[in-house]
């Protein structure tokens, strides 16, 4: 396709966002970067461009392979972009760090009773002083 596609429409078609309104909000909020800079919603996407897109805990860096302004199934949407090797490695490192942090955290066996809650609140009040 040699047509021009707006960034918000491409992100929606590539299934990074559920609606174009959410894509627009992320772009305007500075969450999405096109070739390393913040851009407007109406920026035309070009093949070969690098786009950084937040996805939950992670930030994906993808290269645009093809253009589409129609939302299709996930397998077809996946053909619009390719994730960079750096992005894949960084996401794996961050996921491992999150996993280790969660394992190191001790979860209480039960909820604190009334006396323990009062002790916790008293401790927190004295920490603030």
């Amino acid at each position: 396709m040699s047509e021009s596609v707006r960034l918000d429409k491409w992100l929606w078609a590539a299934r990074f966002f559920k609606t174009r309104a959410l894509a627009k909000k992320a772009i305007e909020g500075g969450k999405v970067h096109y070739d390393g800079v913040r851009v407007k919603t109406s920026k035309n996407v070009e093949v070969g461009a690098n786009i950084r897109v937040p996805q939950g805990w992670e930030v994906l860096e993808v290269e645009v392979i093809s253009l589409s302004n129609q939302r299709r199934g996930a397998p077809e949407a996946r053909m619009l972009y390719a994730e960079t090797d750096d992005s894949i490695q960084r996401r794996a490192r961050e996921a491992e760090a999150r996993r280790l942090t969660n394992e190191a955290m001790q979860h209480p066996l039960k909820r604190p009773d009334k006396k323990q809650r009062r002790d916790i609140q008293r401790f927190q009040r004295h920490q603030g002083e």
Side-chain angles (χ1 to χ4, degrees):
M1 294 181 190
S2 63
E3 62 196 47
S4 63
V5 179
R6 292 168 49 115
L7 181 58
D8 63 334
K9 205 167 201 178
W10 187 86
L11 290 170
W12 168 75
R15 293 185 166 263
F16 286 108
F17 295 98
K18 197 167 187 172
T19 65
R20 281 184 62 191
L22 291 174
K24 179 182 177 189
K25 191 174 184 180
I27 295 166
E28 289 174 348
K31 307 284 188 225
V32 177
H33 289 83
Y34 184 89
D35 284 336
V37 295
R38 289 177 62 172
V39 292
K40 293 185 177 181
T41 308
S42 60
K43 171 74 175 166
N44 285 331
V45 178
E46 299 171 351
V47 174
N50 289 320
I51 300 176
R52 290 185 57 152
V53 183
Q55 293 287 293
W57 293 100
E58 301 164 341
V59 177
L60 297 175
E61 288 183 23
V62 297
E63 181 181 347
V64 178
I65 295 176
S66 65
L67 303 177
S68 175
N69 60 2
Q70 292 183 336
R71 189 172 172 100
R72 300 252 167 90
E76 291 180 43
R78 183 72 176 94
M79 302 301 283
L80 298 177
Y81 62 90
E83 188 174 3
T84 62
D85 293 333
D86 293 340
S87 176
I88 293 170
Q89 293 170 0
R90 187 184 66 249
R91 286 189 319 112
R93 281 194 312 269
E94 291 172 355
E96 182 66 16
R98 280 194 306 273
R99 187 184 68 78
L100 292 174
T101 302
N102 287 338
E103 283 182 1
M105 216 189 278
Q106 283 188 345
H107 298 285
L109 299 176
K110 62 177 185 167
R111 294 178 61 184
D113 59 20
K114 191 169 187 176
K115 182 183 182 320
Q116 291 170 333
R117 278 197 311 273
R118 286 181 178 161
D119 290 341
I120 291 168
Q121 290 167 352
R122 189 176 305 118
F123 175 76
Q124 289 174 338
R125 274 195 306 269
H126 290 292
Q127 286 295 96
E129 295 174 356

